[in-house]
Amino acid sequence: MNNITIKYTHENTFVYTADAHAITGVFNNKDIIKNYYVNTSYQVNTFGEYTKENTFNVSSINQLFNEDNFIIIKGTDNKSYLLVQTINNMADNFNTSNLYVYNDELELISRNMITEEESPDYTSYDGFIIDNFIGNIPCDYVGNSPLYERTFKVVDNANEIDKQYTKIENNQIYFLFPKINDGILEERVYTINNNKLEYTIINTYKFNSVCQEI
């Protein structure tokens, strides 16, 4: 496996009209980290003000993104593949997290996994959905929720959920694939073979509606 280099940048910005600091991490020309520190009145009055100095430093970044964000699994071709859990934390309360898959040349092989025909809300979605707090999501399931118990890293986030759309078992990636137009989640089991993701469908779950999170 090649060396992994992540380039971090800082930006002064605004979120919900409040002053904020955005930390971005780029790996192979793709954002895998986007974290916002927002100076709401509650934050400032209770904990103090976020500044560049106390957000954009080695300690803060290591807490945000570290070795827990990386997983290596074997493909059916016996090659090793790198899985990276991305972080997109908006306003300290809304988090999305995806799972990207790279080959041994660090090429992203999990591109455009969801098409517009299947789910217009997730068009050209790269990687597997772990969490999704932003946008339209399936809800009001027929029967019990099929979401998996959390096994991925928990982001330090006030509204972090304990369920997820993706899990990994025995070098296989289980994914509850959202087919918004059909009103179902397809439970797919993915393996990797010669830089390609292959899957079988093992179950389907119906939902009655799509909820707007924010």
Side-chain angles (χ1 to χ4, degrees):
M1 192 68 69
N2 296 328
N3 291 329
I4 294 173
T5 300
I6 301 173
K7 181 180 179 180
Y8 293 94
T9 57
H10 169 275
E11 179 186 8
N12 291 314
T13 186
F14 291 90
V15 175
Y16 308 139
T17 73
D19 173 64
H21 298 269
I23 309 299
T24 303
V26 178
F27 173 56
N28 273 18
N29 300 313
K30 189 168 183 61
D31 290 357
I32 60 172
I33 307 157
K34 193 76 170 183
N35 198 62
Y36 293 86
Y37 298 91
V38 184
N39 281 315
T40 62
S41 57
Y42 176 80
Q43 167 65 37
V44 173
N45 294 332
T46 307
F47 302 105
E49 183 179 359
Y50 286 128
T51 65
K52 180 178 180 179
E53 287 71 26
N54 64 25
T55 59
F56 191 54
N57 58 66
V58 173
S59 177
S60 293
I61 290 174
N62 282 343
Q63 289 181 0
L64 178 67
F65 199 85
N66 52 47
E67 62 271 12
D68 293 336
N69 292 81
F70 298 93
I71 302 169
I72 294 177
I73 66 173
K74 287 286 188 180
T76 56
D77 53 9
N78 207 36
K79 295 179 181 178
S80 294
Y81 291 88
L82 175 67
L83 279 54
V84 179
Q85 179 187 356
T86 72
I87 300 297
N88 186 351
N89 186 1
M90 188 75 171
D92 294 333
N93 289 313
F94 299 101
N95 175 65
T96 62
S97 185
N98 304 323
L99 187 69
Y100 291 166
V101 182
Y102 295 86
N103 63 16
D104 56 1
E105 298 296 327
L106 298 182
E107 298 168 329
L108 182 64
I109 63 173
S110 56
R111 291 188 182 277
N112 302 327
M113 290 187 58
I114 306 177
T115 65
E116 184 174 7
E117 290 75 19
E118 294 168 316
S119 291
D121 295 307
Y122 301 97
T123 303
S124 299
Y125 205 95
D126 290 340
F128 299 89
I129 302 168
I130 298 174
D131 297 322
N132 183 30
F133 274 138
I134 300 176
N136 296 324
I137 63 171
C139 61
D140 187 19
Y141 293 102
V142 177
N144 296 327
S145 168
L147 299 185
Y148 303 125
E149 295 294 327
R150 172 167 293 282
T151 55
F152 287 91
K153 173 183 176 179
V154 174
V155 180
D156 185 12
N157 186 303
N159 289 336
E160 186 70 52
I161 59 174
D162 60 357
K163 302 288 186 178
Q164 58 193 22
Y165 290 87
T166 300
K167 68 177 181 178
I168 298 172
E169 289 183 357
N170 301 319
N171 292 311
Q172 297 175 317
I173 303 171
Y174 288 72
F175 182 37
L176 295 167
F177 187 102
K179 300 191 79 170
I180 299 296
N181 289 342
D182 296 332
I184 62 173
L185 292 178
E186 285 185 348
E187 186 173 22
R188 299 180 176 185
V189 182
Y190 286 78
T191 53
I192 312 173
N193 183 33
N194 291 320
N195 298 328
K196 294 185 181 298
L197 289 162
E198 303 172 343
Y199 70 88
T200 57
I201 300 171
I202 62 172
N203 214 332
T204 58
Y205 303 93
K206 294 182 179 180
F207 55 88
N208 293 318
S209 59
V210 175
C211 299
Q212 178 72 40
E213 285 294 285
I214 60 172

